Amino acid sequence: MKPSFFAITVGTSILANAAREGIVPEVWSRLAPDDPRQEEAERGPVERLVEFAVADPERCCAELNTVAKVAKRWPALFRRVRAALYASDTGAGRLAARALEGAFCRALAKLGVSTEDCAAEVKVVPGLGRDFSRSLGELARAVARDVKCAKARGVNPYVVATGGYKPESTFAVVAAYLAGALDVFYVHESFRDVVSLGLLPIDLHPTARQVARGEGEPEDLAKAWGVDPHHLVELGVLAEEARRRTLAPHIAALIDALETPC
């Protein structure tokens, strides 16, 4: 079986759950991005959080809960595995991601999943949790490139999108599918079990790629879709400044990641 790559969006549920055990202050999981206590959170007790997560992977947080349920159902996916943990650009986000980085492989061992090669890496997304418009493109760029390059190396790419901010993680899923992700996993809110969205073979409209390469005008995209350019501005596909239209930054970032060689 081919090695696996898991793109995992990260939130702060591990901090909220650890707070109930007195490991971290309860407020850390819901700090505003500009709260001065973010610096304190970033220096939080990583090792204690790692031990908390490894002790009960399914209850510690949204991210490892999903990973654990996937591993129990499809353990072969984790024989040789790499994981990227996409964290918010905040102290609490970095702390949560570092804890999951330390716990990921140990949690698999705790669950009895046999691994020959396992590693996890934190990737802080610039602006995530602080600047929605900027971070949407940065997250899409990071996820799309990682998924695309994993596939180019002969690695099967998957996404765990239970954790993190829902609008951003949803766009990350779209980016991952465009880049060739084989599956996306969530834990369903209703029946609390893992669900697989399966392979979704989608692609960008060729005109969007042409516009991104400078081989066409943004208005060409509107013509190809049969809509008014103003409508694409309203939908956030195009941006308009000083009476000049361009691809919206997050769309341009996504296409750039898909077009740039690994």
Side-chain angles (χ1 to χ4, degrees):
M1 178 131 183
K2 289 183 177 181
S4 300
F5 168 72
F6 279 80
I8 303 174
T9 57
V10 175
T12 56
S13 64
I14 188 172
L15 303 185
N17 294 336
R20 299 189 185 102
E21 304 296 322
I23 297 172
V24 298
E26 188 272 334
V27 72
W28 280 7
S29 66
R30 49 185 176 82
L31 291 174
D34 58 352
D35 193 307
R37 288 172 290 183
Q38 290 283 0
E39 293 185 11
E40 180 186 358
E42 187 163 3
R43 299 190 299 270
V46 175
E47 289 305 318
R48 289 188 65 192
L49 288 168
V50 169
E51 296 300 330
F52 169 74
V54 172
D56 196 340
E58 290 186 82
R59 296 185 64 186
C60 73
C61 55
E63 299 83 1
L64 288 187
N65 181 30
T66 308
V67 169
K69 285 177 166 57
V70 174
K72 285 183 175 181
R73 189 174 300 183
W74 299 286
L77 295 182
F78 296 86
R79 180 81 60 182
R80 291 177 291 163
V81 62
R82 291 287 186 274
L85 301 156
Y86 303 95
S88 65
D89 193 6
T90 63
R94 291 184 181 89
L95 174 64
R98 289 202 306 271
L100 295 180
E101 178 184 40
F104 182 82
C105 297
R106 291 178 57 188
L108 292 173
K110 171 80 172 183
L111 294 165
V113 177
S114 177
T115 60
E116 298 173 359
D117 184 23
C118 177
E121 176 187 8
V122 173
K123 296 195 172 186
V124 177
V125 179
L128 186 59
R130 295 177 176 273
D131 183 335
F132 177 74
S133 298
R134 176 193 177 196
S135 66
L136 203 59
E138 294 289 351
L139 179 60
R141 188 196 304 274
V143 172
R145 181 169 178 77
D146 287 348
V147 167
K148 180 186 72 172
C149 293
K151 197 165 186 180
R153 298 192 306 270
V155 176
N156 286 336
Y158 304 93
V159 180
V160 170
T162 308
Y165 304 106
K166 296 311 174 190
E168 288 90 334
S169 62
T170 299
F171 196 66
V173 167
V174 173
Y177 271 136
L178 286 169
L182 299 183
D183 209 342
V184 175
F185 301 107
Y186 286 92
V187 168
H188 199 281
E189 295 178 18
S190 177
F191 47 84
R192 308 291 183 181
D193 200 2
V194 68
V195 294
S196 160
L197 300 188
L199 175 64
L200 188 60
I202 61 176
D203 198 1
L204 285 169
H205 196 287
T207 305
R209 294 181 183 270
Q210 291 168 2
V211 172
R213 292 195 296 263
E215 299 172 359
E217 298 298 324
E219 288 77 11
D220 295 336
L221 189 56
K223 291 176 185 177
W225 287 354
V227 298
D228 189 280
H230 293 290
H231 188 50
L232 291 188
V233 173
E234 292 296 323
L235 291 175
V237 176
L238 299 180
E240 192 169 43
E241 185 176 350
R243 297 185 180 180
R244 181 176 177 271
R245 296 190 184 100
T246 61
L247 286 173
H250 64 288
I251 301 295
L254 171 56
I255 297 176
D256 178 67
L258 295 172
E259 293 278 287
T260 304
C262 292

